[in-house]
Amino acid sequence: ERWDLLPPGSPRGAVSKLGLSVEKIAAHEGDPLEAILSYARTHPPQLMVMATHGRDGPSRWLHSGLAEPLARKTRIMTLFVPQHAQGFVAAEDASTRLDRILVPIDGTPRPQPAVTVAAAFARAFQHEKTHFGLLHADGNGDAPAVSIPDQPGWSWERLKPVQRPAPAILGAAESFRPNLIVMTSRGPEGLLDGLRGTTTQQVLRRAPCPVLAIPEG
């Protein structure tokens, strides 16, 4: 009603007229993580959307967060919305802002899925003037080749990192000021990754905007 999509006083069931179906699921398992994993196995979604506290440092060890392990174990494309970050959809009037999208790229994992999905998001929200920032997150050697969609009104800029991948991405997020970060993700591979988290995990804990993580296929 606030978004002028339904007339005032509409019943809850009227949302179905918008082509939406809303269902609440009650899980009775004792472990929330296992409950969600169990449901996702039998009802595999195309996209998960999760709020995250963005914990980092010692507090990460003291709290059992669901967002990161859930996305890692399900291997489902996940949109993380940090608790204190501004989303790209305004709650007041449903207007969207996707005029700037940051896409970190590297040789591993493959960056093309992130470029493709970033363009698909801008297209789905009908943004005719979106500026994409391609950040070679590693900075060593040549940036990987990616296929860039050709659409009038869109512009693509290659950004140069000045630090290691995670700090470079967070630094670019501060200067580029994106509405969304889209990046391909892979699971932890070694001891250091297990202790400090993968690049994606480090980014989403301190990102100033939503982060869309795409699992490596």
Side-chain angles (χ1 to χ4, degrees), residues 60-189:
R60 182 166 64 94
W61 298 99
L62 298 176
H63 298 84
S64 178
L66 284 176
E68 294 173 15
L70 183 59
R72 187 170 65 249
K73 291 185 178 183
T74 58
R75 307 299 296 161
I76 295 168
M77 183 166 61
T78 304
L79 177 64
F80 295 97
V81 183
Q83 185 178 25
H84 301 295
Q86 183 175 0
F88 55 84
V89 179
E92 296 78 16
D93 57 8
S95 60
T96 61
R97 288 196 61 190
L98 277 177
D99 52 330
R100 301 179 74 83
I101 299 179
L102 178 64
V103 186
I105 60 176
D106 197 2
T108 304
R110 292 189 312 109
Q112 187 60 51
V115 174
T116 302
V117 171
F121 257 61
R123 192 175 292 114
F125 285 99
Q126 300 179 349
H127 271 258
E128 299 178 354
K129 294 183 179 181
T130 298
H131 186 54
F132 298 85
L134 297 177
L135 175 70
H136 184 198
D138 191 345
N140 295 321
D142 297 331
V146 291
S147 177
I148 296 176
D150 183 14
Q151 179 151 326
W154 287 3
S155 57
W156 299 79
E157 176 185 0
R158 290 189 178 271
L159 308 174
K160 296 182 179 180
V162 294
Q163 296 171 296
R164 292 176 292 107
I169 295 170
L170 291 168
E174 290 295 329
S175 58
F176 189 72
R177 304 184 67 82
N179 312 114
L180 175 67
I181 298 174
V182 182
M183 57 194 301
T184 313
S185 176
R186 67 188 310 173
E189 293 189 332

Side-chain angles (χ1 to χ4, degrees), residues 34-53:
E34 287 303 319
I36 301 174
L37 286 173
S38 176
Y39 184 82
R41 293 188 193 104
T42 55
H43 303 78
Q46 295 171 311
L47 174 69
M48 288 197 302
V49 181
M50 303 193 70
T52 174
H53 287 290

